[in-house]
Amino acid sequence: MPSVTRVVLAEDEVLLREGLVGLLTRFDFAVVAAVGSAPALLDAARTHRPDLLVTDIRMPPEHRDDGLRAAVTLRAERPDLAVVVLSQHVQSGYAAALLDSGDGRRVGYLLKDRVADVAEFADTLRRVVAGGTAVDPDVVRHLLRRPRDPLDALSRREREVLGLVAEGHSNAAIAARLHVTEAAVGKHVGNILAKLDLPPDEDTNRRVLAVLAYLRAGG
C-alpha cells in the first residue's frame, strides 16, 4: 500500500461531499477527484486510477443504485481496486453485490451514520485498502435476522463474536473489545465455524467472506 492513499470520492450531496473531502484530507488521504454522479465517477476512476473508491450507493442520473453499479463495474475492470460504499439504509442485497465483486477483498459497506465516528471511519478505510473487508454492524445484524435462522445452534456469546468477525475484526481485536483472552476468541470462532459447517481458516478476510456467503445463502 502506498504511503499516501489516493481516493476518488463520489457523493451527490454537495455539503456532505465537501465534508468528506475535508475528513479524508485530515486523515492523510489524498482526494484526487470528488464527483457528484455515477458517470463522473466512472470517468474519474478510469482517469486517476485511485487506490480507493468511496461512493454513495444512490447517485444521479437515476438516483437508485447507480453508485453501486459503477463501483461493481470498476471492480470488474480492476479487481484490486479498494471500494467502500456508503448507504443511508440497510440493504443486504447491495452488500452481497459488492462482496461478490472481484475476489471479495478490499470492499466495505457502511451506513452513512457510521461516518460520524471519523477516526473509526478512517481506520475502516485503511483496513479495506490493506486488503480487508468491512461490513457495517447494522448490516450484519440484518443478515443475522431471518425467519429460519441458520444460527440457532450458536450461543449468545458466539453470535456476538460472529458479528465482530463479519465486521472484519481479527481475533486480537475481538478479544480487546470483549475483554477476554485471544485464546477464548479463537475457541469461539472454531465452535462457530464447526456449527456452521465452515472450514477453519486463520485468514480474517476469508473467514468474513465464508460467513457472509453462508448467511446470504440462508443456511
Side-chain angles (χ1 to χ4, degrees):
M1 185 175 65
S3 56
V4 176
T5 300
R6 301 171 66 255
V7 183
V8 165
L9 170 67
E11 167 59 55
D12 62 319
E13 296 182 16
V14 176
L15 290 179
L16 180 54
R17 183 168 69 240
E18 293 304 314
L20 285 170
V21 169
L23 186 159
L24 292 169
T25 302
R26 171 185 166 190
F27 283 90
D28 298 322
F29 293 89
V31 180
V32 295
V35 300
S37 71
L41 167 58
L42 290 169
D43 289 343
R46 288 164 178 161
T47 298
H48 295 283
R49 297 187 63 80
D51 307 302
L52 170 66
L53 173 67
V54 179
T55 181
D56 190 1
I57 285 180
R58 295 182 182 274
M59 294 280 289
E62 297 180 13
H63 293 280
R64 297 176 65 184
D65 60 349
D66 302 56
L68 175 68
R69 286 188 284 114
V72 171
T73 295
L74 291 166
R75 287 268 296 175
E77 296 173 1
R78 287 184 57 202
D80 63 336
L81 174 64
V83 173
V84 173
V85 300
L86 305 176
S87 179
Q88 194 69 45
H89 307 288
V90 174
Q91 293 283 353
S92 57
Y94 289 160
L98 185 64
L99 288 164
D100 288 337
S101 68
D103 62 358
R105 294 177 181 270
R106 298 184 178 87
V107 293
Y109 180 103
L110 301 176
L111 297 184
K112 286 186 175 181
D113 290 347
R114 204 66 56 189
V115 181
D117 187 335
V118 294
E120 181 178 348
F121 177 62
D123 285 344
T124 298
L125 296 184
R126 293 190 185 100
R127 188 163 73 243
V128 170
V129 172
T133 301
V135 180
D136 193 279
D138 286 346
V139 177
V140 172
R141 283 191 285 271
H142 182 77
L143 288 167
L144 294 179
R145 292 196 301 266
R146 46 169 40 99
R148 181 177 64 81
D149 196 338
L151 308 180
D152 283 340
L154 302 187
S155 69
R156 180 177 178 180
R157 176 61 94 180
E158 286 168 349
R159 282 173 172 263
E160 190 174 11
V161 171
L162 175 62
L164 293 170
V165 168
E167 290 169 34
H169 297 290
S170 66
N171 284 6
I174 294 171
R177 286 193 174 216
L178 300 183
H179 305 290
V180 298
T181 66
E182 189 171 346
V185 173
K187 183 176 179 180
H188 284 310
V189 170
N191 289 339
I192 291 165
L193 296 179
K195 290 179 180 180
L196 297 183
D197 196 27
L198 294 169
D201 198 318
E202 293 303 316
D203 185 292
T204 301
N205 196 59
R206 290 174 65 188
R207 290 187 310 167
V208 171
L209 297 177
V211 170
L212 289 178
Y214 179 89
L215 296 175
R216 289 202 304 271

